């Protein structure tokens, strides 16, 4: 697989119903949608970010 096909295959599991990934995406959208977005959301620890990203990476690994 090359280029967009490989990327599409890696990203496919991220579109499926994974609550951790959806929550992380929602949080990121809220934080990044406005300059003051980070101040309007509950604080998250480094561990929260690592957990969400680890879930994302694991799901991407399942498609390969």
């Amino acid at each position: 697989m090359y280029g967009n096909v490989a990327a599409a295959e890696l990203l496919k599991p991220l579109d499926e119903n994974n609550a951790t990934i959806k929550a992380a995406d929602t949080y990121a959208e809220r934080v990044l949608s406005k300059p003051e977005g980070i101040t309007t959301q509950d604080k998250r620890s480094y561990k929260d970010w690592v957990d969400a990203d680890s879930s994302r990476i694991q799901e991407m690994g399942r498609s390969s």
Side-chain angles (χ1 to χ4, degrees):
M1 287 194 230
Y2 296 99
N4 291 339
V5 175
E9 285 299 311
L10 285 174
L11 296 174
K12 184 178 177 185
L14 302 181
D15 294 330
E16 295 173 1
N17 195 19
N18 183 307
T20 302
I21 293 172
K22 285 187 176 197
D25 288 346
T26 299
Y27 184 84
E29 287 173 21
R30 290 177 179 163
V31 166
L32 299 173
S33 66
K34 302 176 197 168
E36 70 282 356
I38 192 76
T39 62
T40 65
Q41 300 300 305
D42 293 335
K43 293 190 188 302
R44 296 187 77 186
S45 71
Y46 169 77
K47 178 107 170 83
D48 293 329
W49 288 105
V50 169
D51 288 346
D53 286 343
S54 295
S55 293
R56 190 179 307 272
I57 291 167
Q58 286 174 346
E59 288 299 319
M60 289 172 65
R62 291 177 198 224
S63 66
S64 50

